[in-house]
Each structure stands twice: as structure tokens, then as C-alpha cells.
Amino acid sequence: MRMIAIIPARGGSQGIPRKNISELFGTPLIMWTINFALTQNKFDAIVISTDCPEIAGVVAASFQLKSEFSQLTPGEFWRLHENLFIHKRLDELSSSTSKTSDLVTSLVRDFELKDQDLIFLLQPTSPFRVNDEVEQILDLVAEGFSRIVSVKKAESPHPKKVFQMDQSKRPLNLRELSNLESPRQSLGEYFAPDGAYYVLLVSEFLETKSFISQDLFALERVGLKTLNIDSIEDLEIANLYAPIFINYEESK
């Protein structure tokens, strides 16, 4: 069984322009995920899939290389460093409405992945991963779990304490208001993917064309390390948290 890390990094971003290469504590955001994958020494291949020459150039510069991205045709790979590759994704897989599952389907074909290869989808907008988490995931795989998604508890606001509004700023669905005054503890616990890890066998992915299904194992993560950077405010919080996270990891 090979282990393949996939890091999807399209160029377009609505919340933060050039988000994947925005600086986080002096390092381009995408490099946090790439460096994490490299230091694990467990992946047979680490594949950065992008449509963006600027992202490819930033990654190449991190290894003192000149970008060869412009020479690639869509679907081709460029080996940057040992087991690190850049994949030039198709334009139709690079819009704001493109599905990650469609991208992974193309990578399974283009990189000739086998049924028993294990995919680790690592979103670059979730930079704070802990060194023992990959080992924990592999232990779960050894126990027979073939579909693992990292999650965080959805607490504030509670998912049942929200409602939609119509154009006149009135509640769209009155039934959604019934929980607004209910004690949070009475509404049950809810969880959401935090973006750090989506893990499954290629055979499982090809069967469902999705990372999510009823049989997934939810790996719960807690604290600020579950931060997923979608806005400028998220990035500001991440920059405040980053030195604390680094110091804690280095002291372990």
C-alpha cells in the first residue's frame, strides 16, 4: 500500500486574494502543509495540484528552483524534490464551483493510483497539524477503518440556533426559530470537517466518488489547531496562534 498526499491549491480565492500563498508567520500558507507532509517521512508521493503559475512559483522558490509550470500541459506532473510533485490541473477543475472529488478522480487517473493506495487529502487552508496525527490515522487504518475524516465540534453558534432570512430580512422558515431559545445542551452535539485530513483507500473513493459517507470514522480534533482559514479574520487569528503552536510542538 502506497501513501499519497494530495494538496489541492487552486489560484482563485474569493475570501482572501492569493489565499494559498498568503503569509502565515513569515511562511506562505501552502508551505505549512507541504512541510508537514515532507517531515512525516511516510508519504510515497506528495502531489500539489494547482492551476496557478504563481502558486507553483512560490513552491518552487521554497526549494531554490525555477518554476517549470508553464512547460506543463494540463494533467502533467513535475517532480520538484524527491517525492514532491506539482500537478497542472485542468481549467474545468479550477473554478469556484469545481468539486474536489472530481479533481481527485483526475489525479487517480493521471498519477495511476492503485486500488490499495491510501489517499491523504490535506487542505492547505488547515495549516496546524500535529506530528502524531498521521500515526494515529494509520493505526485506525490498521484496525480496519478505510475512510477517516478529521472533524471539530460545531459549538458557537450551535448549528440548530441559526435561521435563513428573506429579502426583507424576516425569517424564511419559522420552524428554524423554535430552537433559538432552547438550551444548547438540549440540542445535541454536531461536528463538521475541519479540513486537516480526508483519508481513504482509492478503491473506496472510486466506489463513491466522495470522501464522505455513512461509514466514515470521525477523528475529532480540538482547539485552535482546527482553524480553517477562509477569511482575513481567520488569517489574523492564525498569525497570532502560529508562534504558540510552533513553540508547543517543538517542546514536545
Side-chain angles (χ1 to χ4, degrees):
M1 178 180 71
R2 296 183 302 172
M3 289 175 52
I4 311 296
I6 295 174
I7 303 173
R10 71 182 186 89
S13 175
Q14 296 177 341
I16 307 176
R18 304 168 71 248
K19 177 170 62 176
N20 284 312
I21 52 176
S22 297
E23 279 208 356
L24 173 56
F25 200 55
T27 299
L29 178 59
I30 192 171
M31 291 307 303
W32 282 71
T33 296
I34 294 171
N35 289 335
F36 173 81
L38 288 170
T39 57
Q40 295 308 292
N41 295 317
K42 293 184 181 297
F43 295 109
D44 296 281
I46 300 165
V47 182
I48 303 136
S49 181
T50 186
D51 63 312
C52 179
E54 190 175 10
I55 290 175
V58 166
V59 175
S62 297
F63 296 93
Q64 289 78 53
L65 296 173
K66 183 178 179 180
S67 178
E68 298 179 12
F69 189 76
S70 62
Q71 301 172 31
L72 299 177
T73 59
E76 284 190 328
F77 295 84
W78 165 38
R79 184 194 294 266
L80 278 81
H81 172 76
E82 297 180 356
N83 61 337
L84 182 64
F85 300 82
I86 282 186
H87 168 254
K88 188 171 187 177
R89 68 166 75 177
L90 300 171
D91 288 341
E92 57 264 34
L93 299 175
S94 304
S95 73
S96 60
T97 58
S98 299
K99 293 183 177 180
T100 303
S101 57
D102 291 337
L103 169 64
V104 174
T105 299
S106 74
L107 281 169
V108 168
R109 178 191 66 243
D110 295 342
F111 209 72
E112 298 182 353
L113 299 185
K114 307 301 182 184
D115 283 352
Q116 292 308 304
D117 289 339
L118 188 65
I119 296 171
F120 275 69
L121 181 71
L122 310 175
Q123 292 187 347
T125 49
S126 299
F128 300 124
R129 297 175 179 85
V130 179
N131 282 326
D132 62 0
E133 288 173 335
V134 170
E135 196 63 51
Q136 184 180 356
I137 289 170
L138 293 178
D139 287 343
L140 290 168
V141 172
E143 292 174 21
F145 296 100
S146 56
R147 189 185 299 260
I148 300 162
V149 176
S150 61
V151 302
K152 62 181 176 182
K153 187 183 293 186
E155 295 186 288
S156 181
H158 190 284
K160 284 194 172 182
K161 285 181 173 286
V162 299
F163 62 94
Q164 294 179 298
M165 295 189 298
D166 61 22
Q167 292 182 344
S168 63
K169 302 301 180 182
R170 295 182 180 277
L172 190 63
N173 186 342
L174 294 179
R175 288 178 299 178
E176 293 179 340
L177 302 181
S178 61
N179 292 321
L180 294 184
E181 296 181 332
S182 300
R184 185 183 64 189
Q185 293 79 1
S186 69
L187 299 176
E189 293 185 335
Y190 282 73
F191 298 85
D194 71 349
Y197 303 98
Y198 294 84
V199 181
L200 80 171
L201 292 170
V202 169
S203 58
E204 294 276 346
F205 174 77
L206 292 177
E207 185 175 324
T208 62
K209 296 295 177 67
S210 173
F211 284 86
I212 306 297
S213 75
Q214 184 69 41
D215 64 349
L216 69 80
F217 181 94
L219 176 67
E220 186 177 359
R221 304 171 78 238
V222 298
L224 278 173
K225 69 174 180 284
T226 65
L227 181 65
N228 193 310
I229 299 174
D230 286 326
S231 66
I232 293 293
E233 290 77 12
D234 293 335
L235 186 58
E236 291 173 349
I237 293 170
N239 270 294
L240 292 173
Y241 176 60
I244 301 171
F245 175 81
I246 292 170
N247 289 337
Y248 176 76
E249 282 298 292
E250 289 180 348
S251 66
K252 288 170 65 176

